[in-house]
Amino acid sequence: MTRLFNDPVAFVDEATEGFVAAHSHRVRQVPGGVIRSTKSEPNTVAVVIGGGSGHYPAFCGLVGQGLAHGAAMGNLFASPSAQQIYSVARAANNGAGVLLSYGNYAGDVLHFGQARDRLISEGIPCEMVKVIDDVSSASLEEIQKRRGIAGDLTVFKIASAAAEAGYSLEEVVRAAEAANLRTRSFGVAFDGCTLPGADDALFHVPEGKMAVGLGIHGEPGISEQDIPSADELAELLVKRLLEELPEGVKSAKGARASVLLNGLGTVKYEELFVVYRRVNQLLKDAGLEIVEPEVGELVTSLDMAGASLTLFWLDEELEKFWAAPCDTPAYSKGSVVSAEQLDAAELDIPDPDAIPEATSESQEAAEKVLAALEATYKVIEDNEEEFGRIDAVAGDGDHGIGMARGGKAALEKGREVKERGAGAGSLLRMAGDAWADRAGGTSGAIWGAALHSLAMAIGDEQKPDAARIAQGVRDARDNIMHFGKAKVGDKTLIDVLVPFSEVLSERVEAGDDLKTAWQAGAERAEQAAQDTADLVPKIGRARPLAEKSKGTPDAGAVSLSMIIRAVVDVL
Amino acid sequence: MTRLFNDPVAFVDEATEGFVAAHSHRVRQVPGGVIRSTKSEPNTVAVVIGGGSGHYPAFCGLVGQGLAHGAAMGNLFASPSAQQIYSVARAANNGAGVLLSYGNYAGDVLHFGQARDRLISEGIPCEMVKVIDDVSSASLEEIQKRRGIAGDLTVFKIASAAAEAGYSLEEVVRAAEAANLRTRSFGVAFDGCTLPGADDALFHVPEGKMAVGLGIHGEPGISEQDIPSADELAELLVKRLLEELPEGVKSAKGARASVLLNGLGTVKYEELFVVYRRVNQLLKDAGLEIVEPEVGELVTSLDMAGASLTLFWLDEELEKFWAAPCDTPAYSKGSVVSAEQLDAAELDIPDPDAIPEATSESQEAAEKVLAALEATYKVIEDNEEEFGRIDAVAGDGDHGIGMARGGKAALEKGREVKERGAGAGSLLRMAGDAWADRAGGTSGAIWGAALHSLAMAIGDEQKPDAARIAQGVRDARDNIMHFGKAKVGDKTLIDVLVPFSEVLSERVEAGDDLKTAWQAGAERAEQAAQDTADLVPKIGRARPLAEKSKGTPDAGAVSLSMIIRAVVDVL
């Protein structure tokens, strides 16, 4: 139960402010997150991590000497926006490129990918390593689909220590990937956490039961069983992890590994130590040499009740970097010589609020874009509860809240920059960034990306015509499909966006005016949204449990189709 | 909810084993707790801390370079026994004396006091500082009665840094006392924690309410109110702490202080940061200069929901010691140069199991002592639930469990040492130590101390006669009253022990045989136990809530009177 907050909407911003106040000698706030407050060696790689908030020490608590250079901080359990990541990376950059590292979740993949493209387009070398340690989230054959959980720490630590050692970006990526492929985690949960202001937990596990493999945001697990004894839990976790030795490790016997026993929030230290006692015995019995283990709260989920065990199989280089000293708000090791504090003047922080010049035609067209944002938010406001209800069938039920947060932020930003003379393209781009910033989650990422693509096609010069808008919708579709990896039939909003884009482009090419073409597209979109009821999700949900969503359409598909329909009236 | 355990009785032992396995480069296990695994500077003071388990990082997590030299670890929420403290202190001693420091709770005061006497009697200089930071537990006029909560950390840290700096025992005590008198904490709670294996929490706060000033073991608070916003909570806590400036601080304006915002278990980091944001603003508004604050879990109570704020008012010396580097399993600061690991052979660990020589008369008498222990345990076994029920009226309801654990351990130890030829005195002494070790709590401490005194009077030479036993009972009474500070009329077992001892001594002096005299004492004891129903507790309970125990006799008084009665049959 999360009890201490003011306005729930301000929770993450206020937590960040308090965090930075408490740790001002180690971190400083920048737009989008935090960076080290200390100077780093010039011309070394910067490691920028990030993800949703609510997982402290992940992610901001792991910024400091010897560990990450910066952390982009999204809303609760929601990816930071591309703009946030980009901004933190720019501020953290030491001149030798940036490694972005994050847990493998759709929204994060999308946003970190966009941020990377933008950094590269500005001449900053950038690579990405997504953490994939959770063995219960996909099979070994599909290892790249696995989620990132407590193994985040080992990958971040190795990448950062390699950067600290002066490795090139390419070498840092190699070391981080080696760590990633040698990190395996397996978790269980007993109950969900409650978001500030929510009446109930995000999810529950039946009383007396344990959900095996449940994700840290409540992603469905692989099975449920009675809560075992501490020893039995240790046996379950160790057995599964020893079944899957990473490439390069022939046998547990004689191998060296670090062990992380992580509490998710309300499984307390004494319980973890009781479990660790048996983990330690079992691993020693298997002939493993345990190196610098950690037992505690490394990646949490607010007050979720659960725990995970991570094995990090070492080689000589990884062991050296794992043991390297670091000093962060939440994780310290060895003896770190304090670096000088950074001078604010040295920071490279782009002004996200600067408005590019625009023609008067584009400024005029901006009025229509604003009207479309108004129509969009109206739809969301009227249907927020319903979106949440549909989403809760097989998801986490936050689609309504996320859309409302995003739509409102976009509208407010749109109004503000309209006053300041923004063109149609910039208005939409900045509104889209605000949407992604505030909405969080995969849908926030997708909406931000879509509006961004559309905005780029519209630009700030000409009055946007039908052909340009149809092109923008195609770009938005491609952008989302590229980053989000969803295909038609996966039960996502792609099932609506693809046919809508098709009909819109066809009709515009056939000579229809924008309103007529859009109207035809909207009808097709509505049908497509209803059709998703027959589908089963392929992404972000464990297969066995995804089945139960059959019969209910996808929340993202429904909200998109309704918004498309509402926009007709303002064209 | 504590879910992960094996046998609940083994919880603390197993947690300790896991803790030591996870932190073997910093701590090593010794009988009674842990000490640093690293060498300390010879001829420096050793700081030995301790208390009940269940408060991690307190107490074992704070052992390491720059912080404590050792921690005596009691059972869950129960003081370690004098034997445990003594044993840890012996092992931690570096040749310049020992400072014992602990939170001010009756059981701890008793046991640490006994341990100190034993250390001094063996030529090891020893002093004590009991932490008294909780402003809600007694008024400023009765500051010495206040409980110790999260302020433990500041006192332990200052004492340890002073010891590390080579201060003499006297100087370490002075610095620790200065820290103690400049540390003020104020806490709130939203719900209680659940002991492993228990069906329900130790206590509950009504849903939606907040208990102000509630102790970390559920000791009654000062008021209840609706759960406020994070900002309002910050205002409540800061206001109270700024009302009471310690001696030597004229005004908050311009003063320097450290700030600890402590989570008790399930109030998570993000919530604490939201609260800290406002705490920071308020203290800055008051003109305070905040020095190296801490926000996190410093002294917990398993999964209790609550938080406390501590102000630690610094002077030049305290600030220097607060900032000094340290490196422990749960608390690290600055840059510590790793010391060499300690050699096991260097440890001074007394063998608690060695049995002194005894005459055959005394060995024969040991049979009667064992029979008395059997009768004692029978009474407890038959009435365990009833003792718990009575205790729950105004206490924590653990009297039955504690007595059962203690009585069983004493009986088993008695049987074992009887086999090994122990005399009557040693049998009773070792049984008493086992009782205190396993029972925990104030009653464990008192029973351990009582049996110890009686054992000393009996000795291992003569057959114990009536006069010697009456003398032993008087010693036990004096010992308990000396350490426990309870007087007749305070509604404790003293209300039974004092009249029992009086009648026993009178009748023995008048020439009655032991059995007759004891029988007379037993009758008086039974009456006295019933009479405690008219009293109101004076110790260990907040006054306003102690009232409700009226009409119910004291659980400790009742169990003692029943045991006295049962022992008649074996005399």
Side-chain angles (χ1 to χ4, degrees), chain A residues 353-364:
Chain A
D353 262 359
I355 292 177
E357 291 207 7
T359 63
S360 57
E361 286 98 335
S362 183
Q363 286 175 327
E364 226 167 274

Side-chain angles (χ1 to χ4, degrees), chain B residues 251-396:
Chain B
S251 160
K253 201 175 162 112
R256 296 173 70 80
S258 189
V259 181
L260 281 61
L261 183 61
N262 177 55
L264 281 169
T266 61
V267 170
K268 298 314 302 178
Y269 306 103
E270 288 83 357
E271 294 177 272
L272 292 174
F273 287 131
V274 171
V275 175
Y276 185 72
R277 168 186 161 276
R278 186 73 186 130
V279 167
N280 178 65
Q281 290 170 352
L282 291 166
L283 292 177
K284 288 199 164 160
D285 288 351
L288 202 87
E289 189 73 34
I290 299 175
V291 180
E292 305 203 7
E294 295 290 341
V295 179
E297 297 185 342
L298 306 166
V299 175
T300 64
S301 269
L302 294 175
D303 63 328
M304 178 168 166
S308 66
L309 181 70
T310 300
L311 285 190
F312 176 31
W313 302 86
L314 300 166
D315 60 21
E316 206 175 315
E317 182 182 51
L318 295 175
E319 184 163 340
K320 181 182 75 180
F321 288 145
W322 180 243
C326 65
D327 178 36
T328 78
Y331 190 73
S332 294
K333 196 168 210 169
S335 196
V336 173
V337 180
S338 289
E340 231 180 295
Q341 291 287 311
L342 195 67
D343 192 340
E346 298 170 62
L347 284 175
D348 173 21
I349 298 177
D351 178 5
D353 262 359
I355 291 177
E357 292 207 6
T359 63
S360 57
E361 285 99 334
S362 183
Q363 286 173 328
E364 225 168 275
E367 269 176 48
K368 278 217 165 168
V369 175
L370 189 59
L373 289 174
E374 261 155 12
T376 297
Y377 183 57
K378 179 88 175 46
V379 168
I380 297 170
E381 223 183 353
D382 292 347
N383 296 280
E384 180 179 341
E385 227 166 280
E386 175 67 5
F387 294 161
R389 194 193 59 77
I390 303 177
D391 186 39
V393 173
D396 50 13

Side-chain angles (χ1 to χ4, degrees), chain A residues 103 105 131 133-134 147-153 185-187 215-216 299 308:
Chain A
Y105 297 91
V131 182
D133 59 315
D134 183 355
R147 299 184 294 250
I149 51 173
D152 280 351
L153 178 64
S185 303
F186 189 36
I216 56 171
V299 175
S308 66

